Amino acid sequence: MKLFGVLFGRTKTKSSQVAKERLKLVLVHDRIKVSPELLDTLKGELIGAISKHIDIDQAGLEVTITRGDKVDKLVANIPIRRSR
Amino acid sequence: MANVITITSGKGGVGKTTATANLGTALAQRGCKVAVVDADIGLRNLDVVMGLENRIVYDLVDVVEGQCRLRQALIKDKRLPELYLLPAAQTRDKNAVDPKDMIKLCDQLREDFDFVLIDSPAGIEQGYKNAVAPADQVIVITTPEVSAVRDADRIIGLLESAEKRSPRLVINRLKPSMVKRGDMMDTADVLEILAIELLGIVPEDDSIVASTNRGEPVALNGKTRAGMAFQNIARRLLGDEVPFPEFNNASGLLGRLWGFVRSRPIDFKARN
Ligand SMILES: Nc1ncnc2c1ncn2[C@@H]1O[C@H](COP(=O)(O)OP(=O)(O)OP(=O)(O)O)[C@@H](O)[C@H]1O
Ligand SMILES: [Mg+2]
């Protein structure tokens, strides 16, 4: 499909996909009172704190909020570089 | 002892009353003794959807205020001997009743029925709180549209913090042709976002409007697609494992979607 789009001019993203993406974004704010800016700040500080001690893949670091049954979680996924 | 099930949605007009009437009908057809309760005080509708509007003498508020006995306010369905309606008051407002009243009322109903289905008003205010307070189970109904799904998410969050048993989801007014074109979110999309157990999918069906015109729930006609969908939901409420024929083509996903989804991840990542 994608290739098709590339070959035959621009294809518009399906509106159902747009709906889903927009919902995901808006729900982050509805669900938890943590702004994207705050997440960015946290991410920066995490990189600073951890990379003092461990060689991490800064570009691969992800900070996500997950909503569980009882509690919401702040999840940091921090890839570590292998030394060899 | 009855199972008290509240049907709610957040957003208005997505099909709560239609679902309540049809699930009540389908359960009663299966031999259950069912009371459907209209908790939408001031905007009563369940009576007309079921074609019982001419038989109302007393209503829910009369019962709560002690103006009549519960038995006097219950209206027997025309067609199904095991189905009863407790109508809402039309000339009062939602504050005429509080959650304690609803719990007391439903405790009385529990003794005589197998199922008590409560049609909740839209919103998250007093009327919603009244409707949800006595519930053992909650059904959240949504359409596959951004605003309805967003409101459903809000309701799910509120139910979780109220420590209700995890609600189950009914997706209403799904249009397979639009899904195919990519112009409507499909079941998998909605489940991915809301991450709760799926109870049923009801397609958009003109026969709902036609049957509501007559005051005959569409579930009476098992040949209509919507009627069949409501029959399937009723069976699931009775504990049958009914597959979801409505979206068999997504069979690979089925295993993942069906069952209890414990965590509700959001695909939001901090920007670099
Ligand atoms: N699957 C469907 N196909 C076609 N029409 C439908 C379907 N479900 C509901 N409708 C129509 O949508 C309208 C709203 O339905 P309904 O009154 O059940 O919603 P509601 O959630 O109870 O609304 P409210 O929030 O005002 O109480 C009605 O006209 C109904 O006939
Ligand atoms: Mg209604």
Side-chain angles (χ1 to χ4, degrees):
Chain A
M1 262 315 257
K2 267 209 181 108
L3 185 63
F4 230 68
V6 174
L7 290 176
F8 296 96
R10 284 187 299 155
T11 44
K12 247 170 114 188
T13 316
K14 302 278 189 207
S15 77
S16 60
Q17 278 309 305
V18 179
K20 196 165 127 188
E21 293 314 315
R22 290 179 60 219
L23 261 170
K24 281 182 177 173
L25 267 178
V26 76
L27 290 184
V28 174
H29 301 276
D30 287 1
R31 286 175 183 178
I32 314 127
K33 304 274 169 289
V34 176
S35 67
E37 288 72 29
L38 179 54
L39 276 187
D40 275 349
T41 311
L42 276 174
K43 189 175 165 179
E45 290 179 8
L46 275 173
I47 291 177
I50 297 168
S51 51
K52 270 192 242 162
H53 309 286
I54 303 172
D55 186 16
I56 59 172
D57 170 14
Q58 300 196 358
L61 188 140
E62 282 174 3
V63 179
T64 333
I65 286 169
T66 315
R67 180 169 176 168
D69 240 7
K70 295 269 180 294
V71 286
D72 302 321
K73 279 187 209 155
L74 182 68
V75 180
N77 195 339
I78 310 165
I80 301 173
R81 282 191 212 284
R82 293 207 178 106
S83 43
R84 1 181 253 128
Chain B
M1 273 299 262
N3 222 323
V4 179
I5 305 178
T6 297
I7 292 110
T8 190
S9 67
K11 185 168 158 60
V14 298
K16 296 176 291 297
T17 303
T18 306
T20 308
N22 280 290
L23 294 179
T25 299
L27 286 166
Q29 279 179 316
R30 283 166 199 281
C32 303
K33 201 162 180 209
V34 184
V36 292
V37 177
D38 191 345
D40 202 345
I41 296 166
L43 288 170
R44 85 172 164 215
N45 261 333
L46 192 53
D47 54 337
V48 286
V49 174
M50 298 180 69
L52 299 174
E53 67 275 15
N54 293 328
R55 305 187 177 195
I56 297 177
V57 182
Y58 296 109
D59 58 51
L60 188 152
V61 176
D62 293 326
V63 178
V64 165
E65 291 182 342
Q67 315 277 5
C68 70
R69 290 171 184 282
L70 175 57
R71 188 163 302 175
Q72 292 174 287
L74 285 169
I75 300 164
K76 198 166 182 299
D77 186 63
K78 289 180 199 165
R79 296 153 289 247
L80 297 163
E82 301 280 46
L83 180 58
Y84 289 80
L85 164 71
L86 180 59
Q90 182 67 327
T91 53
R92 302 292 296 272
D93 73 81
K94 307 193 191 305
N95 301 317
V97 174
D98 69 23
K100 273 202 216 97
D101 297 326
M102 288 297 289
I103 292 171
K104 210 173 124 198
L105 181 88
C106 287
D107 281 343
Q108 269 180 280
L109 287 169
R110 276 176 209 275
E111 291 170 19
D112 292 326
F113 292 93
D114 300 318
F115 283 93
V116 177
L117 304 184
I118 303 176
D119 179 16
S120 159
I124 52 174
E125 275 92 47
Q126 183 70 29
Y128 154 81
K129 288 179 188 153
N130 289 340
V132 162
D136 304 316
Q137 291 181 50
V138 178
I139 297 175
V140 172
I141 178 155
T142 187
T143 59
E145 287 169 278
V146 176
S147 51
V149 174
R150 182 189 195 180
D151 291 359
D153 187 79
R154 181 95 167 88
I155 288 286
I156 293 165
L158 289 173
L159 290 167
E160 278 172 359
S161 51
E163 299 194 341
K164 287 279 173 192
R165 195 188 129 179
S166 327
R168 289 188 282 178
L169 185 72
V170 168
I171 301 174
N172 188 26
R173 310 196 75 156
L174 194 88
K175 295 187 195 173
S177 59
M178 287 192 74
V179 169
K180 219 173 193 172
R181 251 188 285 145
D183 273 331
M184 182 177 268
M185 286 187 284
D186 65 10
T187 303
D189 293 332
V190 177
L191 286 178
E192 184 186 328
I193 288 163
L194 295 178
I196 61 171
E197 186 186 344
L198 180 65
L199 181 65
I201 307 158
V202 182
E204 173 79 21
D205 189 342
D206 289 349
S207 57
I208 289 204
V209 178
S211 67
T212 306
N213 285 341
R214 296 204 165 80
E216 296 167 359
V218 74
L220 289 167
N221 181 352
K223 287 195 195 96
T224 58
R225 285 182 307 143
M228 231 140 59
F230 283 120
Q231 293 288 350
N232 283 343
I233 296 172
R235 287 176 57 198
R236 291 182 194 117
L237 288 175
L238 288 168
D240 285 5
E241 276 210 23
V242 187
F244 291 87
E246 300 91 336
F247 79 126
N248 256 351
N249 47 351
S251 58
L253 285 172
L254 211 60
R256 210 182 83 208
L257 301 170
W258 171 230
F260 301 87
V261 187
R262 286 264 161 252
S263 88
R264 317 181 59 204
I266 314 172
D267 260 8
F268 181 84
K269 293 173 182 107
R271 287 161 296 190
N272 282 313

